[in-house]
């Protein structure tokens, strides 16, 4: 199994960025934790962060035929990007949406998720552990 993990804008600033909301762990720590979980489960993984919507769309397009699952935290593009939703639908790769914070308990504009409309599962409010839960979801057969 091969997973593609995509992280959207400003997630590279984890640890610095609003730590009360997003936690004190760095982006490097997130990458380490996901890689370790995938190694433990013998799953191949590529992890990418971009501040650019276009780069994220291109990464999803390029995943076609190469990855068994996508784990995506589209960050602010969650709430705006029909292009990311369309890309996920276009490639037809099972996708899990992850958010570090509980977006359902924040501002109203964060309650809308475009990618979420195509996601098999959304995990929010569990910090970095949410990414590990997404890996487990794929490892255990992505059924829910
Ligand atoms: C986020 C939530 C989004 O609303 C926000 O724009 C982010 C991060 C999260 O992981 O909690 O950048 O996706």
């Amino acid at each position: 199994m091969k997973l593609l993990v995509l992280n959207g804008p400003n997630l590279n600033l984890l640890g610095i960025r609003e730590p009360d909301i997003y936690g004190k762990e760095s982006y490097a720590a997130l990458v380490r934790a996901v890689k370790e979980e995938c190694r433990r489960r013998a799953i191949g993984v590529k992890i990418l962060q971009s501040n650019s919507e276009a780069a994220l769309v291109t990464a999803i397009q390029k995943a076609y035929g190469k990855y068994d699952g996508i784990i995506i935290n589209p960050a602010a593009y969650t709430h705006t990007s029909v292009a990311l939703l369309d890309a996920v639908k276009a490639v037809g790769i099972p996708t899990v949406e992850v958010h570090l914070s509980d977006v359902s308990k924040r501002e109203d504009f964060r309650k809308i998720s475009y990618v979420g409309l195509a996601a098999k599962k959304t995990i929010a409010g569990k910090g970095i552990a949410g990414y590990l839960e997404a890996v487990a979801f794929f490892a255990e057969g992505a059924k829910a």
Side-chain angles (χ1 to χ4, degrees), residues 8-11 17 21-22 73-79 98-103 106 109-110 125 131:
N10 301 307
L11 291 170
R17 175 192 187 201
I21 296 174
Y22 299 113
N73 182 346
Y77 295 138
T78 307
H79 320 299
V98 173
H99 298 285
L100 295 155
S101 66
D102 186 352
V103 279
R106 298 180 62 194
F109 68 84
R110 293 187 203 274
Y131 288 78

Side-chain angles (χ1 to χ4, degrees), residues 70-94:
I70 295 173
I71 296 170
I72 185 166
N73 182 346
Y77 295 138
T78 307
H79 320 299
T80 61
S81 182
V82 177
L84 284 176
L85 167 64
D86 285 349
V88 166
K89 286 166 85 171
V91 296
I93 300 171

